[in-house]
């Protein structure tokens, strides 16, 4: 599944890091957060905890109100991880199971616990890339 589909913005195109940067600077909407939660089958409160935003703050926003660039960037990185993971595992459920399993290539960290950090998300994406190419991870 594409990141643009996960966030409910089918017209958005993410071909390079600059695309992610520009989109995060423009800001995601509350609607995008709700759509992402629905599409990856997680709670909105789980996403808000990853993005470091209070759930009550999100609830007060209108559906089309923009979130800050920092929060949007974190949510896009989560969407990127889910998009890559479901592509590699061919199933959202299989990927979510992997996401909750301690991983030796991440020094025993549970991937879902580290994707809220830019460095953690990069490590998880690197690990997924190794899996994609058949390298033990």
């Amino acid at each position: 599944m594409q990141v643009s589909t996960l966030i409910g913005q089918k017209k958005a195109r993410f071909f390079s890091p600059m695309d992610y940067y520009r989109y995060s600077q423009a800001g995601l909407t509350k609607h995008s957060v709700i759509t992402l939660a629905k599409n990856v089958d997680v709670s909105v409160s789980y996403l808000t905890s990853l993005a470091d935003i209070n759930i009550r703050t999100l609830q007060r926003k209108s559906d089309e109100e923009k979130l800050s660039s920092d929060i949007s960037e974190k949510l896009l990185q989560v969407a990127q991880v889910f998009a890559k993971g479901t592509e590699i595992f061919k199933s959202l459920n299989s990927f979510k199971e992997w996401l909750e399993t301690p991983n030796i290539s991440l020094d025993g960290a549970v991937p879902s616990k580290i994707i809220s950090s830019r460095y953690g998300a990069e490590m998880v994406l690197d690990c997924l890339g190794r899996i994609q190419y058949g390298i033990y991870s």
Side-chain angles (χ1 to χ4, degrees):
M1 194 174 281
Q2 300 284 332
V3 170
S4 55
T5 303
L6 289 178
I7 63 171
Q9 301 292 322
K10 292 183 178 152
K11 292 182 181 179
R13 297 290 174 250
F14 297 100
F15 297 114
S16 72
M18 184 57 78
D19 296 329
Y20 285 96
Y21 171 76
R22 287 184 179 133
Y23 213 84
S24 68
Q25 292 303 299
L28 293 179
T29 62
K30 174 184 174 181
H31 177 73
S32 291
V33 178
I34 293 166
T35 302
L36 176 60
K38 179 181 161 194
N39 285 335
V40 298
D41 194 27
V42 298
S43 68
V44 172
S45 63
Y46 172 73
L47 287 180
T48 59
S49 70
L50 290 177
D52 225 11
I53 181 175
N54 187 298
I55 186 75
R56 299 288 296 152
T57 301
L58 184 68
Q59 289 170 340
R60 283 192 295 271
K61 293 190 176 293
S62 69
D63 279 356
E64 297 307 316
E65 191 173 344
K66 301 282 185 167
L67 301 171
S68 74
S69 59
D70 291 342
I71 291 167
S72 296
E73 182 177 332
K74 286 184 177 192
L75 290 166
L76 283 171
Q77 80 187 13
V78 169
Q80 192 176 20
V81 167
F82 271 88
K84 184 74 165 176
T86 54
E87 173 192 336
I88 291 166
F89 283 88
K90 308 287 187 226
S91 149
L92 179 59
N93 289 336
S94 295
F95 172 63
K96 286 174 68 177
E97 186 177 315
W98 177 86
L99 203 57
E100 295 300 328
T101 305
N103 191 295
I104 199 163
S105 72
L106 299 172
D107 284 340
V110 175
S112 68
K113 304 291 186 220
I114 66 172
I115 61 173
S116 63
S117 145
R118 178 174 66 110
Y119 299 112
E122 286 176 9
M123 289 186 299
V124 170
L125 286 168
D126 287 345
C127 186
L128 289 168
R130 288 192 301 275
I131 292 169
Q132 183 176 21
Y133 291 101
I135 301 169
Y136 178 74
S137 288

